[in-house]
Amino acid sequence: MKKLNVGLIGAGFMGKAHSLAYVAMPMFFWPAPAIPVRRSIVDINDSVAAEAAQRFGFEKSSSDWRSVVEDPEIDIIDIATPNHLHAEIAIAAAAAGKHIISEKPLARSGEEAKTMYDAVKNAGIVHMVAFNYRRTPAVALAKKYIDEGALGDILNFRGTYLQDWSADPDGPLSWRFQKSIAGSGSLGDIGTHVVDMARYLCGEITQVNTQLKTWVKTRPLQAGGVDKLGASTKDSTAPRGEVDVDDEVLSLLEFQNGAIGSLEATRNAHGRNNFLTFEIHGTLGSVYFNYERRDELQVAFAADQSDRKGFRTVYTGPAHPYGEGLWPIPALGIGYGETKIIETYDFIKAIMEGGEVSPNFKDGYQINLIADAMAASSQSRSWTQVQLVK
Ligand code: NAI
Ligand code: SOE
């Protein structure tokens, strides 16, 4: 069976998730399209990288991502660094002819994302941006119902992404609160996951009317680069630095097909963890999904007999998207790991079949443009057109 050598750059939270997916993918999807080999892992210095290699099962380690990108043995470059490095690494990887999977958001802005899309467009490589939540089987099932027409014409999309890890004002000023590294705050970090869901399920977004807010204006400076998502030891006596990104985004949406919608995202919502939800209403029915109950899709159909109308729960399993590779009984439990395993499967399959995969860098670029339009709308306090990628 064909083997593909992976160079993984960034051994933090996503380094762990992607490493797990490379090992597990062939165990779930067999015969695998190819076997990913954990060849080289990169992090900020030699000892951190060497430890990561041991922990995540890579053959080699390095503190120099360029040497891995240029290594002729490497087939795939996997970008799992903070956002400010995505573009430089991806452009170098495209020039070296490597297939690329980059974490989300693709870039810090539409302008930066365009440089990445331009680099991969004619490079003859497969490129993917890792908005993995759409690969939750219940989300793919919602898409199937919509594509089959079971919900009729789509009227409304209502999406949220609510977390609480940044609600504490003494949580450290990690890279996610610095515009120069992250690009934006909740908007780019988690709002873009909702935008990916919205586009996947309901089509292109053409106009937005948005409000951004920064509730916590300064935070204690953080030693070290890894973002522990609010879990680092707090030091309220440490010198504080300015937060120059948003904490919260609230937006109205207009879709190309005439549907309307809304999006809310914040990391300051006490009591919410990974509350990524959508409810979609169509002329023939509705669906509701909440990632905190990710085995379940709530569905309601207008054609149901009147004495049994209402939402019912479908637990995803073998009969549903990706069911052939996952667990043999519905509701055994889909986790974050499974979404990354499925993502890896679709990425490797596209490489082996010479095809395209979605979401790719074009989608990532479009999502960055939507985020830019949201930021501009918040500034101008008015409806703002989204620039559409041709
Ligand atoms: P993290 O802070 O946990 O890890 C980042 C890693 O990159 C650290 O180990 C850091 O030392 C390393 N790094 C920094 N500069 C580097 C350099 N020059 N060369 C090599 N390594 C370097 O961050 P996390 O949470 O893993 O986020 C990484 C990316 O993944 C971000 O773009 C983030 O938005 C995205 N992400 C996506 C998720 C999803 O659900 N798809 C979930 C969490 C993060
Ligand atoms: C922090 O908000 C974070 O790790 C995001 O960066 C991810 O994209 C999200 O999936 C989980 O939360």
Side-chain angles (χ1 to χ4, degrees):
M1 186 167 280
K2 170 85 175 157
K3 294 188 171 172
L4 294 171
N5 292 327
V6 178
L8 171 62
I9 304 168
F13 174 16
M14 280 308 96
K16 173 169 147 182
H18 291 208
S19 300
L20 177 72
Y22 291 123
V23 183
M25 184 275 281
M27 299 181 198
F28 283 79
F29 294 98
W30 191 261
I35 305 288
V37 177
R38 285 160 292 151
R39 180 72 87 190
S40 295
I41 191 161
V42 186
D43 211 287
I44 35 149
N45 63 45
D46 289 343
S47 68
V48 171
E51 192 181 338
Q54 215 180 348
R55 180 176 178 194
F56 299 141
F58 280 74
E59 293 166 11
K60 298 195 239 174
S61 64
S62 170
S63 55
D64 173 17
W65 62 260
R66 285 183 191 283
S67 65
V68 173
V69 163
E70 281 154 20
D71 181 345
E73 282 197 330
I74 294 288
D75 301 296
I76 291 171
I77 289 293
D78 182 332
I79 307 171
T81 62
N83 309 347
H84 65 310
L85 295 169
H86 294 183
E88 199 182 359
I89 299 172
I91 291 166
K98 313 297 185 189
H99 303 291
I100 310 169
I101 179 163
S102 171
E103 262 307 335
K104 49 52 60 180
L106 184 61
R108 290 169 293 184
S109 65
E111 192 183 1
E112 187 173 58
K114 180 177 188 308
T115 64
M116 299 170 78
Y117 179 49
D118 286 346
V120 298
K121 213 165 26 185
N122 299 314
I125 56 162
V126 172
H127 44 94
M128 184 177 204
V129 57
F131 286 109
N132 51 300
Y133 292 113
R134 62 154 81 179
R135 285 184 161 76
T136 313
V139 176
L141 181 60
K143 167 81 170 155
K144 181 170 177 276
Y145 289 162
I146 290 169
D147 288 352
E148 287 171 357
L151 301 191
D153 296 333
I154 301 305
L155 308 175
N156 186 291
F157 171 92
R158 189 178 297 140
T160 71
Y161 200 154
L162 312 177
Q163 301 180 322
D164 69 359
W165 63 267
S166 80
D168 183 344
D170 289 331
L173 187 73
S174 69
W175 64 261
R176 281 187 173 81
F177 299 100
Q178 299 173 48
K179 188 169 187 204
S180 62
I181 303 181
S184 63
S186 283
L187 170 60
D189 190 32
I190 56 175
T192 55
H193 280 297
V194 183
V195 171
D196 180 61
M197 294 279 204
R199 293 181 71 244
Y200 173 59
L201 296 165
C202 302
E204 203 50 85
I205 295 169
T206 49
Q207 278 204 71
V208 294
N209 194 333
T210 309
Q211 226 183 333
L212 300 181
K213 280 277 180 199
T214 304
W215 302 116
V216 180
K217 311 245 188 252
T218 67
R219 290 180 178 275
L221 296 177
Q222 179 191 310
V226 176
D227 185 0
K228 297 277 202 284
L229 299 169
S232 319
T233 317
K234 280 189 293 174
D235 180 4
S236 48
T237 62
R240 300 178 78 91
E242 190 203 345
V243 173
D244 56 359
V245 297
D246 60 282
D247 282 324
E248 177 151 358
V249 50
L250 171 66
S251 189
L252 297 176
L253 312 170
E254 211 170 84
F255 291 84
Q256 204 156 40
N257 59 12
I260 56 174
S262 67
L263 169 160
E264 285 184 64
T266 175
R267 304 171 297 195
N268 288 31
H270 284 296
R272 296 300 184 200
N273 297 295
N274 215 48
F275 198 82
L276 171 56
T277 72
F278 60 77
E279 181 158 307
I280 297 172
H281 303 156
T283 50
L284 300 179
S286 302
V287 287
Y288 172 77
F289 170 79
N290 179 352
Y291 183 80
E292 291 184 358
R293 302 188 66 88
R294 59 201 156 273
D295 289 317
E296 304 173 13
L297 185 68
Q298 304 278 330
V299 297
F301 293 111
D304 286 346
Q305 208 173 287
S306 59
D307 65 351
R308 53 201 77 171
K309 259 193 183 154
F311 276 101
R312 62 177 175 269
T313 305
V314 178
Y315 287 90
T316 56
H320 301 120
Y322 303 108
E324 79 286 358
L326 298 169
W327 304 108
I329 300 173
L332 279 178
I334 295 298
Y336 188 79
E338 279 85 343
T339 68
K340 286 289 180 190
I341 289 164
I342 297 169
E343 177 176 87
T344 300
Y345 168 65
D346 282 341
F347 177 55
I348 304 266
K349 189 149 75 89
I351 293 173
M352 294 311 295
E353 291 174 358
E356 283 193 4
V357 68
S358 181
N360 57 27
F361 278 24
K362 186 175 182 186
D363 297 294
Y365 173 29
Q366 185 63 62
I367 290 169
N368 270 122
L369 289 172
I370 293 166
D372 287 356
M374 287 181 177
S377 164
S378 178
Q379 280 283 327
S380 66
R381 302 184 72 81
S382 59
W383 279 97
T384 301
Q385 295 277 349
V386 174
Q387 183 194 326
L388 296 180
V389 181
K390 301 214 176 60

